[in-house]
Amino acid sequence: MAIVDPWGAGDIKIDEKLLKEFGITSFSKELIKKHDHYLFQRGIVTAHRDFKKIQDRIDAKKPFIQITGIASSGPLHLGHKVDIDLFMYFSQFGKSYFAICDIDGYVSRPDEKVSSMHDAKKIAIKNLAHILALGVKQNQVYVQSQMSPAYYELVLSLSKKITENNFRAIYGHLNPGKLAANLLQYADILHRQLPEFDGKMPSLTGIGIEQDPHARATRDLSRKLSFPVETPSFIYFEHQRGLQVGKKMSASQPDTAIFLDDSPADVKKKVNRAFSGGKDTLEEHRKYGADVDIDRAFEILKFHHPDTDIVNEIRAKYSSGEMLTGELKKIVIDFLNEFLAKHQEKVKKMLPIATKMVLKQ
Amino acid sequence: MAIVDPWGAGDIKIDEKLLKEFGITSFSKELIKKHDHYLFQRGIVTAHRDFKKIQDRIDAKKPFIQITGIASSGPLHLGHKVDIDLFMYFSQFGKSYFAICDIDGYVSRPDEKVSSMHDAKKIAIKNLAHILALGVKQNQVYVQSQMSPAYYELVLSLSKKITENNFRAIYGHLNPGKLAANLLQYADILHRQLPEFDGKMPSLTGIGIEQDPHARATRDLSRKLSFPVETPSFIYFEHQRGLQVGKKMSASQPDTAIFLDDSPADVKKKVNRAFSGGKDTLEEHRKYGADVDIDRAFEILKFHHPDTDIVNEIRAKYSSGEMLTGELKKIVIDFLNEFLAKHQEKVKKMLPIATKMVLKQ
């Protein structure tokens, strides 16, 4: 079986072969229709494990647990925003919990990236301010380093449910810090089902396909616990690619991503440099049109513009050659800068709240 | 370098070769004289790492941290009592903390021994009642599963300070449950030096020599932390041997140990069956006397009888042949049963308190 490393390069695309190999189910058209959100409509949320359990709960207007989280390892970019947007969509249906994974961020990243828990918490504060600004409610958020004992008891006791060989088979390594990060991630997904929290209940977590080893490990673990638990469900979303070909969005290569902190000038520069599906000459472009599917500026609209009619109109005009690359990029730059200006205003207001929440001051 | 496995059979005796190999210092006669307690006077506490730091604190009447703990993995026996007696002795000088290691007990032991955290807590309650009955104060005790977040943050973040090779070199394995148990043990010893607790301060922990890998690992770790910390000091005590030759005291072989819960009939039976240093015939015994150093009944007095004059008198009479094995064993049985009767009365009173402390009810 292929090993998918959740910490490795993230250029794995969802395809039928992978889905079959890992036992993941594609979203049916029928199921997609039930979810009137662009992440579904535009083929960004594509597959799942056991989503039916969740759909049944939504249809019956019964509660379920939604849980997601972000490791505090660097500034947030548009790729993270997809995670948060998906969380916001499902939070209208379920009991929703957003984990600020400061301990995970510290133990899973090399010291060059996160050198201490103090660093991780500084990152966590900034991340949390962005997350709140994107609409996540304060009472939906928890910070890994600020939990009650039952949570940590679960984190540590899960160590007994996995073996060295087991862990190595899934991840290909057994680094103590990454082992600890995994225990935290398993517990993040499972802890709400403890009797001390919500109790046994279907749960939903949205992840990128490269995180599937975590999903499978968590589902396997859930069958070995000493308290009653529903096997957690997962939905998989496609990752927005890096702005340059062959690169994923990464804090260590700032040109690959638009960060939620970027200035208007940064945005302009990065979008203008982004890999384009437009043709080399005006003549060719007018004749053949752009290859929209490889165009990273268009991809920003696909993943983030809320109005599907506008996105479809741009797609039609750009792929027919009616719209030029420069025109498209201007639209994208204006869209992003308008969004980021408002967003960054909210972030400023949220920073003191985020500081209090992370440091429990 | 030899690997000493803290979970292996515990028949390693302190000898000069081992001391030298591991960089441990013998207690000098001068230092022993300063500690008027039978564990020192009878050569049971024998060696240390960095005890001078602690002696300086005692001499200057300045505070230091004393920290010890017992994993909740089974009933307590006389071997555990040594740990507790040593703790009681030093608690007159230092800030003293006694860890009830319920999570450690669960994750480090096989399911046959501790099958769930629920089991571990049941064991923890009983152990704690005994520990309180032996004189440890409630406010000196903490339970691993009932700590504040700063403790767990330290437990988990320590995972980043050890490497897979590092861990394997010390312990010879990398079992996730035992890795988690080690992180807990490191944090038990180090957490009081966090700014959230007592801050930087010399600390003392008494252990058996076979636990030295933990001591060295903890001392190594203490030099890599992001908060100011004194390298912890350790004292090493000799283990009371099992009642049968070649066996250590063990809950899985009840005849090897006197448990603190044993009935008078149990005690009588076990002491009478204990390996004896007496001679095979009355004639030989009177002529050559007993070999006191291999006699397990005498060893009970050596490790537990508070009056050194009485113990010395018995040693003299028994080794000269004046006292017979049957007479010695009767003294030991009477001594133990008198002690255990009073002790078990106190345990009964402490059980409701211990239950509240472990379950936070």
Side-chain angles (χ1 to χ4, degrees), chain B residues 184-358:
Chain B
L184 284 158
Q185 289 164 15
Y186 303 147
D188 282 328
I189 292 173
L190 295 166
H191 78 282
R192 293 299 323 179
Q193 293 198 59
L194 281 167
E196 287 89 340
F197 298 102
D198 296 321
K200 184 180 173 179
M201 202 180 285
S203 92
L204 176 67
T205 299
I207 56 175
I209 186 72
E210 85 289 355
Q211 300 291 324
D212 187 58
H214 290 301
R216 279 179 293 145
T218 310
R219 286 166 58 89
D220 288 347
L221 264 180
S222 73
R223 299 181 187 104
K224 297 178 191 170
L225 300 177
S226 58
F227 59 96
V229 61
E230 287 276 353
T231 304
S233 303
F234 291 86
I235 50 176
Y236 300 91
F237 54 82
E238 219 178 301
H239 278 295
Q240 188 180 345
R241 290 167 292 184
L243 299 179
Q244 318 302 328
V245 168
K247 289 183 177 167
K248 61 172 190 166
M249 294 194 181
S250 163
S252 51
Q253 293 177 290
D255 264 11
T256 57
I258 308 288
F259 292 88
L260 299 180
D261 269 330
D262 276 351
S263 69
D266 289 336
V267 168
K268 191 175 176 188
K269 189 184 73 181
K270 288 181 185 182
V271 173
N272 281 332
R273 285 185 189 167
F275 182 72
S276 169
K279 294 296 182 292
D280 287 345
T281 66
L282 178 65
E283 199 185 356
E284 277 182 34
H285 190 85
R286 291 290 190 209
K287 188 170 173 190
Y288 301 109
D291 186 347
V292 179
D293 293 329
I294 62 167
D295 193 285
R296 301 300 198 263
F298 180 78
E299 194 165 74
I300 291 172
L301 299 179
K302 176 183 167 189
F303 276 78
H304 301 284
H305 198 293
D307 189 326
T308 296
D309 289 343
I310 292 177
V311 175
N312 285 343
E313 198 192 319
I314 294 170
R315 172 187 274 277
K317 284 188 183 167
Y318 189 42
S319 61
S320 73
E322 185 187 338
M323 181 181 284
L324 298 179
T325 298
E327 292 167 331
L328 171 79
K329 288 192 166 178
K330 186 166 184 321
I331 291 171
V332 173
I333 291 165
D334 290 347
F335 162 67
L336 278 180
N337 279 338
E338 191 187 342
F339 162 73
L340 288 177
K342 282 183 200 160
H343 172 70
Q344 290 168 6
E345 268 308 302
K346 292 180 203 159
V347 170
K348 263 187 216 164
K349 283 180 196 155
M350 292 300 173
L351 262 174
I353 296 166
T355 305
K356 272 186 198 162
M357 288 173 72
V358 172

Side-chain angles (χ1 to χ4, degrees), chain A residues 51 83 99 151 184 187 192 254 271 273 301 358:
Chain A
F51 185 72
D83 243 323
Y151 169 81
L184 284 158
R192 294 299 323 179
V271 173
R273 286 185 190 168
L301 298 179
V358 172

Side-chain angles (χ1 to χ4, degrees), chain A residues 109 114 121 153 160 164, chain B residues 109 114 121 153 160:
Chain A
R109 266 61 172 189
V114 187
K121 286 177 186 181
E153 180 181 311
K160 202 179 173 182
E164 178 177 350
Chain B
R109 264 61 171 190
V114 186
K121 286 176 186 182
E153 181 182 310
K160 200 178 173 182

Side-chain angles (χ1 to χ4, degrees), chain B residues 104-144:
Chain B
D104 176 349
Y106 171 61
V107 296
S108 66
R109 264 61 171 190
D111 279 352
E112 306 87 77
K113 243 182 141 178
V114 186
S115 71
S116 65
M117 274 303 299
H118 181 75
D119 263 19
K121 286 176 186 182
K122 282 201 297 189
I123 297 169
I125 289 168
K126 286 184 191 162
N127 289 358
L128 177 52
H130 282 282
I131 289 161
L132 295 172
L134 287 170
V136 176
K137 302 269 177 294
Q138 288 179 52
N139 62 9
Q140 293 173 328
V141 170
Y142 72 89
V143 183
Q144 276 183 339

